């Protein structure tokens, strides 16, 4: 079996004794931000004199960017700008989790801050009421990097019995999945479902539909909750797009997209127009669909294991081997949404929703040119 962390074996009953102590009128607020890798999440906590009622009540803060890959040591202070507040499922009410944008000392966005630009795009097309839903796949590992539940030597049985599975020999780590689900509901995440995926110890949760910038906010906080729940259990959740080489599925973050026109009767016309635009910008989207300009996705988008080739653009009804899938029900109803299956599991949802909006929703012209 995989190794779990030593901290997971600490006395949790003793921990609960302290967590249940009254805290008076004080409130613990945990600030969360994306670090310089564009993938990692960092956090630190401060005490406030009372429970904040809205994001406007949360003050700006700062951190040492030289320790997160975001600044040099001689000028290391970076700014934390609160943008979204959630209930804290670990410390419970009235305590809060706060997602933050990172700004430089000049108040310009940090290089890893893709939210700032994405928000500008979403503001320009808010009348289209763009809805997004993202399907976050991940794989559970021991702290030694070995897939959780896999034999110490050798491999589990081939793929086939694990997708949406039940049973101790097929579903590995369900406790983590169910605890994460409840944590998301408590926090206020728009989590819409979860299931076991094709590779053993691989799972998925879905967030959405969310409108505009909310998609990125919600998914990043759901990721934080996942990592934090896994920490309690002593395991690791990896978003690596191809955690195991060989005849095993990769790990993606499919995005479902629609505008108000696509959802109306006859909206299939607008869906087809969006797909035509996407076909002309395949290379640009691939670069935006993982933090390393498509290099991570090269290992996953091979044309096998329910993926399209990274080199080709394709679309089809109910085709999970295409770049873009039109669900069969959408094809029958002639309205609804489409699914882009190319984003990698470790994508930045701000980058993905931002470029999706620019390509599919902004009319060609001055606004689109400025934001591309």
């Amino acid at each position: 079996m995989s190794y779990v962390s030593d901290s997971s074996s600490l006395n949790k009953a003793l921990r609960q004794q302290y967590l249940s102590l009254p805290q008076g009128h004080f409130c613990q607020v945990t600030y969360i931000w994306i670090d310089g890798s564009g993938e990692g999440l960092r956090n630190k906590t401060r005490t406030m004199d009372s429970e904040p009622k809205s994001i406007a009540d949360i003050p700006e803060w700062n951190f040492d960017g030289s320790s997160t890959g975001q600044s040099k040591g001689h000028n290391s202070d970076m700014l934390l700008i609160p943008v979204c507040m959630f209930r804290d499922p670990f410390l419970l009410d009235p305590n809060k989790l706060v997602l933050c944008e990172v700004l430089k000392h000049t108040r310009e966005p940090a290089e890893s801050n893709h939210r700032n630009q994405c928000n500008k795009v979403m503001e320009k097309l808010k009348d289209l009421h763009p809805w997004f839903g993202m399907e976050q796949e991940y794989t559970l590992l021991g702290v030694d990097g070995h897939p959780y539940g896999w034999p110490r030597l050798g491999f589990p049985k081939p793929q086939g019995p694990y997708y949406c599975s039940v049973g101790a020999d097929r579903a590995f780590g369900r406790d983590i999945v169910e605890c994460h689900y409840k944590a998301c509901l408590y926090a206020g995440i728009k989590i819409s479902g979860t299931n076991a995926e094709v590779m053993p110890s691989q799972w998925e949760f879905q967030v959405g539909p969310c409108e505009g910038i909310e998609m990125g906010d919600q998914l990043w906080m759901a990721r934080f909750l996942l990592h934090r729940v896994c920490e309690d259990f002593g395991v690791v959740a990896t978003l690596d797009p191809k955690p195991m080489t060989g005849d095993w599925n990769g790990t993606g973050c499919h995005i479902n997209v629609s505008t108000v026109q696509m959802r109306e009767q006859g909206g299939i016309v607008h869906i087809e127009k969006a797909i035509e635009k996407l076909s002309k910008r395949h290379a640009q989207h691939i670069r935006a669909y993982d933090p390393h300009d498509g290099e991570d996705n090269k290992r996953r988008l091979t044309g096998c294991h329910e993926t399209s080739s990274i080199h080709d653009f394709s679309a089809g009804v109910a085709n999970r081997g295409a770049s873009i899938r039109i669900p069969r029900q959408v094809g029958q109803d002639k309205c609804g949404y489409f699914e882009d299956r190319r984003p990698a599991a470790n994508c930045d949802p701000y980058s993905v929703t931002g470029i999706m909006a620019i390509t599919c929703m902004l009319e060609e012209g001055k606004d689109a040119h400025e934001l591309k």
Side-chain angles (χ1 to χ4, degrees):
M1 288 290 289
S2 305
Y3 295 108
V4 299
S5 70
D6 291 340
S7 61
S8 65
S9 63
L10 294 174
N11 190 322
K12 301 303 180 183
L14 182 61
R15 173 178 178 268
Q16 189 57 41
Q17 174 184 329
Y18 290 99
L19 288 181
S20 61
L21 291 173
Q23 60 187 61
H25 61 274
F26 295 107
C27 180
Q28 291 172 269
V29 178
T30 299
Y31 288 59
I32 298 160
W33 70 96
I34 303 162
D35 68 17
S37 70
E39 302 179 69
L41 287 161
R42 308 291 181 113
N43 68 102
K44 63 177 185 173
T45 304
R46 73 187 299 169
T47 303
M48 293 185 63
D49 291 336
S50 60
E51 179 182 359
K53 301 305 180 185
S54 73
I55 197 66
D57 297 330
I58 308 293
E60 294 182 12
W61 207 5
N62 59 72
F63 69 95
D64 172 18
S66 67
S67 297
T68 62
Q70 290 169 293
S71 68
K72 303 295 183 182
H74 65 275
N75 189 13
S76 65
D77 280 1
M78 303 289 287
L79 303 176
L80 291 173
I81 312 301
V83 294
C84 202
M85 183 171 70
F86 299 84
R87 297 169 72 195
D88 188 333
F90 308 106
L91 301 178
L92 306 183
D93 290 336
N95 304 302
K96 306 297 181 186
L97 302 176
V98 176
L99 187 67
C100 301
E101 280 193 28
V102 177
L103 301 185
K104 302 176 183 179
H105 71 280
T106 59
R107 302 195 72 84
E108 295 173 320
E111 282 74 11
S112 56
N113 178 0
H114 299 294
R115 185 186 191 276
N116 194 276
Q117 175 73 356
C118 180
N119 198 32
K120 293 176 183 177
V121 175
M122 297 306 170
E123 280 296 311
K124 284 187 177 293
L125 48 81
K126 59 186 177 183
D127 290 344
L128 294 180
H129 299 286
W131 287 4
F132 303 100
M134 297 189 78
E135 305 170 27
Q136 179 67 71
E137 296 177 347
Y138 62 94
T139 305
L140 296 176
L141 308 176
V143 292
D144 56 350
H146 191 70
Y148 182 76
W150 285 34
R152 171 55 44 195
L153 299 175
F155 296 92
K157 295 177 182 178
Q159 295 182 157
Y162 307 107
Y163 174 70
C164 295
S165 62
V166 63
D169 60 338
R170 300 182 179 196
F172 307 142
R174 191 184 298 275
D175 286 348
I176 295 166
V177 174
E178 293 182 343
C179 289
H180 173 248
Y181 203 147
K182 283 296 186 77
C184 285
L185 292 173
Y186 183 93
I189 299 295
K190 294 182 178 179
I191 185 170
S192 51
T194 188
N195 58 269
E197 265 302 333
V198 177
M199 188 178 80
S201 74
Q202 184 188 64
W203 295 81
E204 176 187 297
F205 64 89
Q206 303 91 33
V207 175
C210 298
E211 187 164 327
I213 196 65
E214 185 185 37
M215 183 69 255
D217 294 344
Q218 292 263 327
L219 187 59
W220 272 116
M221 185 57 70
R223 287 174 173 178
F224 175 82
L225 297 180
L226 175 64
H227 293 308
R228 181 61 182 77
V229 168
C230 284
E231 181 183 325
D232 280 346
F233 282 94
V235 301
V236 174
T238 178
L239 305 187
D240 186 280
K242 188 70 174 179
M244 296 300 292
T245 58
D247 195 19
W248 304 101
N249 269 36
T251 315
C253 191
H254 307 157
I255 181 170
N256 301 284
V257 182
S258 80
T259 61
V260 65
Q261 293 102 324
M262 295 177 191
R263 296 189 289 273
E264 292 174 344
Q265 186 174 5
I268 190 71
V269 173
H270 296 279
I271 292 173
E272 290 170 345
K273 286 181 179 177
I275 293 173
E276 175 63 22
K277 292 178 179 179
L278 287 168
S279 71
K280 298 175 181 177
R281 301 193 74 214
H282 177 66
Q284 293 95 323
H285 278 251
I286 288 297
R287 287 197 294 271
Y289 283 0
D290 72 49
H292 299 105
D293 296 327
E295 290 301 312
D296 292 340
N297 240 344
K298 281 183 179 179
R299 295 180 284 120
R300 168 179 163 261
L301 295 180
T302 62
C304 302
H305 302 107
E306 298 182 271
T307 71
S308 58
S309 168
I310 196 170
H311 304 293
D312 303 312
F313 180 89
S314 58
V317 175
N319 184 356
R320 283 180 163 77
S323 307
I324 307 295
R325 180 180 72 94
I326 299 175
R328 188 168 300 283
Q329 191 64 47
V330 172
Q332 294 172 355
D333 295 343
K334 305 300 181 186
C335 64
Y337 68 97
F338 65 89
E339 176 192 41
D340 190 332
R341 298 177 59 80
R342 295 171 293 174
N346 62 344
C347 70
D348 186 326
Y350 298 129
S351 295
V352 174
T353 56
I355 194 171
M356 184 65 70
I358 289 171
T359 297
C360 299
M361 303 174 200
L362 285 179
E363 292 298 325
E364 290 299 326
K366 184 173 182 291
D367 288 345
H369 178 73
E370 288 178 351
L371 291 167
K372 283 183 181 178

